[in-house]
Amino acid sequence: MNYNAMELMICCAARLLENGRTVAVGTGVPCAAAMLAQRTHAPDLVILFEAGGVAPQLPTMPISVGDSRTFHRAVMATSMADIMEACQRGMIDYTFLGGAQIDAYGNLNSTLIGNDYQKPKVRFPGSGGANDLASLCWRILVVTNHDPRRFVEKVDFLTTPGYLTGPGAREAAGLPPGTGPYRVITDLAVLGYHEQSCRMEILSLHPGVTREQVLKATGFALGVREPLELTSSPTATELRILREEVDPHRYIIGR
Amino acid sequence: MNYNAMELMICCAARLLENGRTVAVGTGVPCAAAMLAQRTHAPDLVILFEAGGVAPQLPTMPISVGDSRTFHRAVMATSMADIMEACQRGMIDYTFLGGAQIDAYGNLNSTLIGNDYQKPKVRFPGSGGANDLASLCWRILVVTNHDPRRFVEKVDFLTTPGYLTGPGAREAAGLPPGTGPYRVITDLAVLGYHEQSCRMEILSLHPGVTREQVLKATGFALGVREPLELTSSPTATELRILREEVDPHRYIIGR
Amino acid sequence: MDILSRGDGPLFVDPSANHARQFFSTKARALVDKVTTVAEAVRDLVHDGDYLAIGGFGCDRIPTAVTHEIVRQRKQNLGFAGHTATHDFQILCAGNLLGRGQTLARVDIAYVVGLEARGLSPHARRVMESGEVVCTEWSNYTLAVRLKAAAMGLPFLPARSLLGTDSFRRSAAQVIACPFTGERLAAIPALYPDVAAIHVHEADRYGNCRLRGTSVADLDLARAARKLIITCERLIPHEEIRQDPTRTVIPFFCVDAVCEVPYGSYPGNMPYEYFSDEEHLRRWLEAEREPETYQRFLDDYLFGVKDFAEYLHRCGGLPRLQQLRQQEFLLHRGR
Amino acid sequence: MDILSRGDGPLFVDPSANHARQFFSTKARALVDKVTTVAEAVRDLVHDGDYLAIGGFGCDRIPTAVTHEIVRQRKQNLGFAGHTATHDFQILCAGNLLGRGQTLARVDIAYVVGLEARGLSPHARRVMESGEVVCTEWSNYTLAVRLKAAAMGLPFLPARSLLGTDSFRRSAAQVIACPFTGERLAAIPALYPDVAAIHVHEADRYGNCRLRGTSVADLDLARAARKLIITCERLIPHEEIRQDPTRTVIPFFCVDAVCEVPYGSYPGNMPYEYFSDEEHLRRWLEAEREPETYQRFLDDYLFGVKDFAEYLHRCGGLPRLQQLRQQEFLLHRGR
């Protein structure tokens, strides 16, 4: 069965979301992944949006984390603080993030490119809720394209915490113990983090992708967890639901 | 015109409440005073109850600070924190308190009699919201009967802050500057506080009461602000409204 | 952090946000049916030694059935959050000094033993003057702040009351200075109760709740509690919740048990439903004067009663509740 | 208090709770009629140099008319709280680099220059990359916490995010240790904006407000702001407020001006009323690519327009708004 890289990424992301768990998502890929998970193996997955939507029945893809779709037929429409504080209490299991740059410890930059903070070369939006969600949810998932300008040795600006400088650094900074980066899903592979070193490593290669291709697309030394797996292709059911129910207008999967 | 001591106290208390101001009240006398003020000179007086009622149109005297009367036809029914935080922001002008004991600095005891905290001679309810309201509203009004067991040199337990140990003590403790005890209305007199010493002093004697009577009923050295005034008697209008509209069942004025 | 001053009172519950997170990580998140009886909820969720908190405002929107059941099941050695605790506290005190062991062992006090304008509870005073209950002093707001800190997932919050008083000295608060302005503040430790009970107007079977009127400290309490029992006037279809999510004030994932208990705040007031039964409350206070009279009263109304429905029946049943509904709506004085 | 670490970012507004109290002591408390026009409200309540905060979520329930008017009246040198500020920020940026002086001078940033899934704003990026705006970095939650601290009448609140990052280093937060548990926390300074604008569904003439759907940070913002302009879809009779006080989420005493602005969140989404006009937002983003094109676009839609009603007219008027209402209710794709 044919599928594109985006469809594969969404399916990989969806499979990571366990049934009966909570996930704080944004618009786009994360939202598509959560919707797909709900319609396949995780009907009791609870989706939350940082602007206040709790467990909506999403009729279409939201265009904003705060638009009315994010609390369509929800069980609660509340405040941003109420959502973030549920995260801070330890009630939210997963969050999905992205960024312009990511380093080996899963630290993300979504603030700027350049080295003058007050006059950056490129200004991006900033943290939004990403810093909060990455600090407070249990497991951080990242979905992003894989290229060396994105996977860098050192991010220009550390907007959102991964494992910071390595083992124990999150706890030393005061971030809640037991939290941190969990998986990175790219157009080439699924990556995780080494248990001792907290550095990123390849877990599985997407069909047709070589280990060397991934290492070359990564700007830092990347580990490999052996035995290296092969990413399962999307099933016909996953693709049908994704294409017909989750994203019929191909807003995401058409990118 | 005939009136009893309670009626006079309520009228005195009501007159102190300026139009267009906010007042946090409890049940009983304070509530009767606020209702009387609204029906006489202060129609725009805003009444708040600590359990969450904002600007109710009280149909009858509430029996609890949280009962449904306290938000009957209110403009908002909210949380205790929302009310207390309006006080903390400096939005609430007056509060009315009472207590088992009061000292020269207006400190109140509503916790216990005795000197063993864990096994008191008499256990009273405790602060309730009194400590908060006395800490956070601008002006504290006290309505109480006047006798030497109540007006004491030293309270057995300082539940609720007056001027604490005297000038500057509230600010030194961290309480908001500019707040503090304002008036005490008893069955004998209206009392205030000396501007420099922060000690209680008589402002006006109720009709038929002598200075000596008040001094004798007070367990601490009490100042007198000269010229000592005579408390105005309730007017016919005040008494009519109090008896017919505010407390027709004589719950308070019949005590 | 520089601590400028420190209350002497014992802290009955661990304020650590990290420890609370560990517990909350194990709490169920799925939409599962939580409807049960009060007897089962209390048996399963309230354990000897637990720290308990009760929603509402003493006589207003209180989960009476849960407090009755706790005493009836002889739960022992509880901690308790006493923020304007009036009739709820009076009920729990029936588990002390009356030959049923000791229900209350530790109390954080903002307001106990009184029933506001109704007077003081003689038996609650006997309990609190006996020395058998360890106490720490607070105020209504600072006790609410303790719950808010927990609801926010924090170990403490600052506040500007308690300062300078014996209430502070007998609390477990501390004085700190603001790192930005130097303003002195009371640092108020978080309170994560082991178990809480809240009475609401409407809930669905998953625990999504609505209420009308003042919320007191209940929205924070619901989020702060490790386990939460909801009693509701009416179970409503889940679909109704989804039709108007703005009205949901407690989400299902805070809730462990949902019990439909019509007139569940009786003899307290339930806003927009029924007024408090002042006659019954007066009789209760009078019965407390003499321990023997009180024992008989409790046998009639609490210990010797099967469940809350039977209690309502002994208090006059539907005709009395109809009068209280009329009083609530000011239709009639209801006598 | 022992400060373990400190962000370098400038603090644009005084976090002192005592100073805020002094201001709030002067704020009117009586129920007085506050209905006025947006033009008058902005003229009277927004001053050059003020620190401004905007309710809603960038493109969702935003007070568009107020942001237009601020730019049209050439307010200068403002501070701004940029929590997921998207179209609102885009509008305010029209006051910079386009020959109308400098509307924005200082920005607390959680999220600016982006429009979420819609892409980045070329002109907002030009403004933010020009170096003429002084910035301090935050996150959506910590910026909301700053408003919550102010709403609570405090100088700071703790939180558990920002820690360990460059976002912290460029913020004005500090790191402290919990006095009870030793847990490291970010101390987040209160933000008392000089003036705020919030769009709601319904308000009475005194400023009592209701809204439906998510409240984002608006309930705290309303309480934190020194002055507050409310725009509403509909003025409602005061009597309606008194009929159901549970639904009031912003009380009148927070509010300084009430303006009835139907479709006031356009081109943003207003939950339960109308969806966002994605076509107009796309055209706006496209127009921004070239400064000259953008100047003409703004002349047509903002600078050369009398008021918000005329803007709506130029955007397609009632027929277009009817389509957006159909989209909101999923009745029809509305094209």
Side-chain angles (χ1 to χ4, degrees):
Chain A
M1 194 144 187
N2 280 330
Y3 55 86
N4 66 27
M6 184 59 85
E7 288 171 332
L8 177 61
M9 287 162 78
I10 294 172
C11 290
C12 289
R15 291 171 195 156
L16 290 170
L17 299 171
E18 296 164 286
N19 196 24
R21 293 282 161 183
T22 41
V23 58
V25 303
T27 53
V29 176
C31 192
M35 288 170 76
L36 178 60
Q38 280 187 329
R39 285 162 168 82
T40 52
H41 66 284
D44 273 343
L45 178 72
V46 175
I47 297 176
L48 298 99
F49 288 92
E50 67 180 71
V54 177
Q57 292 176 347
L58 293 167
T60 63
M61 206 73 77
I63 196 156
S64 156
V65 168
D67 79 32
S68 52
R69 306 314 184 220
T70 64
F71 48 91
H72 180 78
R73 292 181 52 77
V75 302
M76 183 164 70
T78 183
S79 67
M80 183 191 283
D82 197 15
I83 301 297
M84 291 297 194
E85 287 154 12
C87 299
Q88 202 159 250
R89 285 200 307 280
M91 286 300 299
I92 311 305
D93 300 309
Y94 297 100
T95 188
F96 264 112
L97 302 171
Q101 295 178 323
I102 184 167
D103 71 14
Y105 294 110
N107 299 307
L108 292 161
N109 173 16
S110 59
T111 301
L112 56 83
I113 299 293
N115 43 32
D116 181 352
Y117 170 74
Q118 293 292 356
K119 200 170 183 318
K121 228 188 298 184
V122 184
R123 175 73 217 196
F124 295 119
S127 157
N131 181 297
D132 310 304
L133 296 170
S135 298
L136 305 173
C137 299
W138 291 102
R139 290 175 162 183
I140 307 165
L141 304 168
V142 170
V143 182
T144 185
N145 282 329
H146 210 137
D147 68 65
R149 276 171 318 166
R150 208 174 269 274
F151 284 69
V152 295
E153 185 62 46
K154 188 173 166 13
V155 292
D156 283 23
F157 191 97
L158 201 172
T159 312
T160 295
Y163 286 114
L164 299 175
T165 55
R170 280 178 73 93
E171 292 74 5
L175 293 173
T179 55
Y182 178 60
R183 291 289 182 271
V184 180
I185 296 139
T186 77
D187 49 341
L188 301 181
V190 176
L191 304 102
Y193 293 86
H194 188 272
E195 215 174 310
Q196 265 78 54
S197 72
C198 295
R199 285 183 64 95
M200 205 184 290
E201 57 183 14
I202 316 177
L203 302 185
S204 77
L205 296 171
H206 293 346
V209 175
T210 66
R211 182 187 300 225
E212 289 63 38
Q213 232 179 313
V214 179
L215 297 178
K216 218 179 131 193
T218 306
F220 51 82
L222 188 61
V224 175
R225 194 182 297 176
E226 302 290 355
L228 188 53
E229 313 261 342
L230 178 69
T231 308
S232 309
S233 297
T235 65
T237 310
E238 285 172 332
L239 285 175
R240 183 187 53 73
I241 294 171
L242 183 55
R243 292 168 184 176
E244 292 175 16
E245 297 177 25
V246 173
D247 190 18
H249 302 291
R250 303 184 60 79
Y251 292 135
I252 313 294
I253 61 180
R255 270 185 204 167
Chain B
M1 196 146 185
N2 281 330
Y3 55 86
N4 66 28
M6 185 58 86
E7 289 170 331
L8 177 60
M9 286 162 77
I10 294 171
C11 291
C12 289
R15 291 172 195 156
L16 289 170
L17 298 171
E18 296 164 286
N19 196 24
R21 291 281 159 183
T22 43
V23 58
V25 304
T27 53
V29 176
C31 191
M35 288 169 76
L36 178 59
Q38 280 187 328
R39 285 163 168 81
T40 51
H41 65 284
D44 273 343
L45 178 72
V46 175
I47 297 176
L48 299 98
F49 288 92
E50 66 181 70
V54 177
Q57 292 177 346
L58 294 166
T60 63
M61 204 74 75
I63 197 155
S64 156
V65 169
D67 78 32
S68 52
R69 306 314 184 221
T70 63
F71 48 92
H72 180 78
R73 292 181 51 77
V75 302
M76 182 165 71
T78 183
S79 68
M80 184 190 284
D82 197 16
I83 301 296
M84 291 298 193
E85 287 155 11
C87 299
Q88 202 158 250
R89 284 201 306 280
M91 286 301 298
I92 311 305
D93 300 308
Y94 297 99
T95 188
F96 264 111
L97 302 171
Q101 295 179 322
I102 185 168
D103 72 12
Y105 294 110
N107 299 306
L108 292 161
N109 173 17
S110 60
T111 302
L112 57 84
I113 299 295
N115 42 34
D116 182 352
Y117 170 73
Q118 293 292 356
K119 199 170 185 317
K121 228 186 303 183
V122 184
R123 175 73 218 197
F124 295 118
S127 155
N131 180 298
D132 309 304
L133 296 171
S135 298
L136 304 174
C137 298
W138 291 102
R139 289 175 163 183
I140 308 165
L141 303 168
V142 170
V143 182
T144 185
N145 282 328
H146 209 137
D147 67 65
R149 276 171 319 167
R150 209 174 270 271
F151 284 69
V152 296
E153 186 62 45
K154 188 174 165 14
V155 292
D156 283 24
F157 191 99
L158 200 171
T159 310
T160 295
Y163 286 113
L164 300 174
T165 54
R170 281 178 72 94
E171 290 75 5
L175 294 173
T179 57
Y182 178 60
R183 292 287 183 271
V184 180
I185 296 139
T186 77
D187 49 342
L188 301 181
V190 175
L191 304 101
Y193 295 85
H194 187 272
E195 214 175 308
Q196 265 78 54
S197 72
C198 293
R199 285 184 64 94
M200 205 184 291
E201 58 182 12
I202 317 176
L203 302 186
S204 77
L205 295 171
H206 293 345
V209 176
T210 66
R211 180 188 301 226
E212 289 63 39
Q213 231 178 312
V214 180
L215 297 177
K216 220 178 129 190
T218 307
F220 51 81
L222 188 60
V224 175
R225 192 182 298 175
E226 302 290 357
L228 188 53
E229 312 262 342
L230 179 68
T231 309
S232 308
S233 297
T235 65
T237 310
E238 285 172 332
L239 285 175
R240 183 187 54 72
I241 293 170
L242 182 56
R243 291 168 184 175
E244 291 175 18
E245 298 178 24
V246 174
D247 190 19
H249 303 290
R250 303 184 59 78
Y251 292 133
I252 312 293
I253 61 179
R255 273 185 200 162
Chain C
M1 193 143 93
D2 209 29
I3 295 159
L4 307 178
S5 175
R6 186 192 292 270
D8 294 336
L11 198 52
F12 301 127
V13 186
D14 178 4
S16 164
N18 285 341
H19 298 167
R21 278 182 67 94
Q22 286 301 330
F23 179 86
F24 285 126
S25 75
T26 67
K27 200 160 168 149
R29 283 103 155 96
L31 284 158
V32 292
D33 191 334
K34 296 165 189 165
V35 176
T36 182
T37 63
V38 170
E40 276 178 32
V42 169
R43 196 171 56 230
D44 296 347
L45 298 171
V46 185
H47 301 109
D48 291 354
D50 271 359
Y51 188 99
L52 169 73
I54 295 290
F57 197 76
C59 269
D60 307 304
R61 204 171 43 67
I62 50 171
T64 312
V66 173
T67 54
H68 280 198
E69 195 60 32
I70 285 171
V71 173
R72 210 151 39 217
Q73 292 190 16
R74 292 190 188 229
K75 300 292 179 183
Q76 297 291 300
N77 194 34
L78 301 183
F80 182 69
H83 78 117
T84 302
T86 64
H87 186 57
D88 48 0
F89 189 73
Q90 198 179 13
I91 294 165
L92 292 169
C93 281
N96 285 49
L97 301 186
L98 290 172
R100 298 173 67 87
Q102 186 182 355
T103 295
L104 291 174
R106 301 172 301 290
V107 179
D108 282 308
I109 300 178
Y111 184 101
V112 297
V113 317
L115 279 95
E116 299 190 75
R118 303 171 189 93
L120 297 178
S121 155
H123 183 71
R125 279 178 68 174
R126 284 193 290 272
V127 171
M128 297 308 285
E129 290 164 6
S130 72
E132 78 171 29
V133 179
V134 183
C135 302
T136 301
E137 216 67 24
W138 304 93
S139 61
N140 274 353
Y141 179 54
T142 53
L143 205 39
V145 167
R146 295 190 63 190
L147 298 172
K148 189 191 277 265
M152 290 173 73
L154 294 171
F156 91 100
L157 277 178
R160 306 197 71 187
S161 60
L162 276 190
L163 296 160
T165 62
D166 289 334
S167 302
F168 172 82
R169 204 165 51 81
R170 292 298 185 178
S171 79
Q174 302 185 359
V175 176
I176 59 171
C178 171
F180 300 96
T181 65
E183 290 161 330
R184 285 170 75 98
L185 301 162
I188 308 295
L191 172 55
Y192 294 93
D194 292 309
V195 59
I198 297 175
H199 187 63
V200 301
H201 292 77
E202 298 174 332
D204 71 9
R205 60 188 177 147
Y206 307 120
N208 295 297
C209 301
R210 295 171 169 183
L211 56 82
R212 290 189 70 194
T214 54
S215 55
V216 197
D218 291 1
L219 310 195
D220 287 324
L221 173 57
R223 288 152 174 81
R226 287 168 188 246
K227 289 167 288 172
L228 177 59
I229 301 169
I230 292 293
T231 64
C232 61
E233 288 291 320
R234 282 175 298 281
L235 274 173
I236 58 170
H238 179 58
E239 177 62 24
E240 254 187 73
I241 292 286
R242 292 206 179 268
Q243 289 294 331
D244 198 356
T246 311
R247 292 185 57 195
T248 305
V249 290
I250 299 173
F252 69 96
F253 56 71
C254 294
V255 177
D256 295 274
V258 179
C259 313
E260 189 181 46
V261 186
Y263 304 102
S265 179
Y266 178 90
N269 172 210
M270 187 67 179
Y272 304 98
E273 303 276 344
Y274 45 88
F275 202 64
S276 48
D277 188 344
E278 292 303 321
E279 201 175 297
H280 183 69
L281 289 167
R282 195 159 41 241
R283 288 186 54 215
W284 194 305
L285 274 178
E286 277 161 21
E288 283 189 28
R289 287 196 197 148
E290 289 299 324
E292 282 159 39
T293 326
Y294 191 37
Q295 185 73 58
R296 279 198 305 280
F297 179 88
L298 289 172
D299 287 342
D300 289 348
Y301 288 102
L302 211 171
F303 304 146
V305 164
K306 182 168 95 268
D307 59 15
F308 192 71
E310 191 178 333
Y311 169 67
L312 289 179
H313 180 71
R314 293 201 184 182
C315 292
L318 275 178
R320 180 63 184 145
L321 296 166
Q322 185 179 4
Q323 289 172 329
L324 298 175
R325 179 187 154 273
Q326 291 173 359
Q327 279 186 33
E328 173 64 13
F329 287 99
L330 300 161
L331 303 174
H332 186 273
R333 290 214 63 233
R335 294 293 291 276
Chain D
M1 193 143 91
D2 210 27
I3 296 158
L4 306 178
S5 176
R6 186 193 291 272
D8 294 336
L11 198 53
F12 301 127
V13 186
D14 177 4
S16 163
N18 285 342
H19 297 169
R21 278 182 67 93
Q22 286 302 329
F23 179 86
F24 286 126
S25 76
T26 66
K27 198 159 169 151
R29 283 103 156 97
L31 285 158
V32 291
D33 191 333
K34 296 164 188 165
V35 176
T36 183
T37 62
V38 170
E40 275 179 32
V42 169
R43 195 172 56 229
D44 295 348
L45 298 172
V46 185
H47 301 109
D48 290 355
D50 272 0
Y51 187 99
L52 168 73
I54 294 291
F57 197 77
C59 268
D60 306 304
R61 204 170 44 66
I62 50 170
T64 313
V66 173
T67 54
H68 280 198
E69 196 60 32
I70 285 170
V71 173
R72 211 152 34 217
Q73 291 190 16
R74 294 192 187 226
K75 300 292 179 182
Q76 297 292 301
N77 194 34
L78 301 183
F80 182 69
H83 77 117
T84 302
T86 63
H87 186 57
D88 47 0
F89 189 74
Q90 198 179 14
I91 294 164
L92 291 170
C93 282
N96 284 50
L97 302 186
L98 291 171
R100 299 173 66 87
Q102 184 182 357
T103 295
L104 292 174
R106 301 172 301 288
V107 179
D108 283 308
I109 299 178
Y111 183 101
V112 296
V113 316
L115 278 95
E116 300 190 73
R118 301 171 190 94
L120 298 177
S121 154
H123 182 70
R125 280 177 69 173
R126 285 192 289 271
V127 171
M128 298 308 285
E129 292 164 6
S130 72
E132 79 171 28
V133 178
V134 183
C135 302
T136 300
E137 215 69 22
W138 305 93
S139 61
N140 274 352
Y141 180 54
T142 53
L143 205 40
V145 166
R146 296 190 63 191
L147 298 172
K148 190 193 276 265
M152 291 173 72
L154 295 171
F156 90 101
L157 277 178
R160 305 195 71 187
S161 60
L162 276 190
L163 296 160
T165 62
D166 289 335
S167 302
F168 173 81
R169 202 164 53 80
R170 291 299 182 175
S171 78
Q174 304 187 357
V175 177
I176 58 171
C178 171
F180 299 96
T181 66
E183 289 160 332
R184 285 169 74 99
L185 301 163
I188 309 294
L191 172 55
Y192 294 92
D194 291 309
V195 61
I198 297 175
H199 187 63
V200 301
H201 292 77
E202 297 173 332
D204 72 7
R205 60 187 178 147
Y206 307 120
N208 295 296
C209 301
R210 295 171 169 183
L211 55 83
R212 290 189 73 193
T214 54
S215 55
V216 198
D218 292 1
L219 310 195
D220 287 325
L221 173 57
R223 288 152 175 82
R226 288 168 187 244
K227 289 166 289 171
L228 176 59
I229 301 169
I230 291 293
T231 63
C232 61
E233 288 290 320
R234 282 176 298 281
L235 272 173
I236 59 170
H238 179 57
E239 177 62 23
E240 255 189 72
I241 292 287
R242 292 206 178 269
Q243 289 294 333
D244 199 355
T246 311
R247 293 185 56 194
T248 305
V249 290
I250 299 172
F252 69 95
F253 55 71
C254 294
V255 177
D256 296 274
V258 178
C259 313
E260 190 181 44
V261 185
Y263 304 101
S265 179
Y266 178 90
N269 173 210
M270 187 66 179
Y272 305 98
E273 305 275 344
Y274 45 88
F275 201 65
S276 48
D277 188 343
E278 294 302 322
E279 201 175 298
H280 183 68
L281 288 168
R282 195 158 41 241
R283 288 188 54 217
W284 194 305
L285 274 179
E286 278 162 20
E288 282 189 29
R289 288 195 196 148
E290 288 300 322
E292 279 159 41
T293 325
Y294 191 37
Q295 184 73 57
R296 277 198 306 279
F297 180 88
L298 289 173
D299 287 342
D300 288 350
Y301 287 101
L302 212 171
F303 304 147
V305 162
K306 184 168 95 266
D307 57 17
F308 191 70
E310 190 177 334
Y311 169 66
L312 290 179
H313 180 71
R314 293 199 183 183
C315 292
L318 276 177
R320 179 65 184 145
L321 296 166
Q322 184 180 5
Q323 289 173 328
L324 298 174
R325 178 186 155 274
Q326 291 172 359
Q327 278 187 34
E328 172 65 14
F329 287 100
L330 299 161
L331 303 175
H332 186 273
R333 291 215 63 233
R335 296 292 294 272

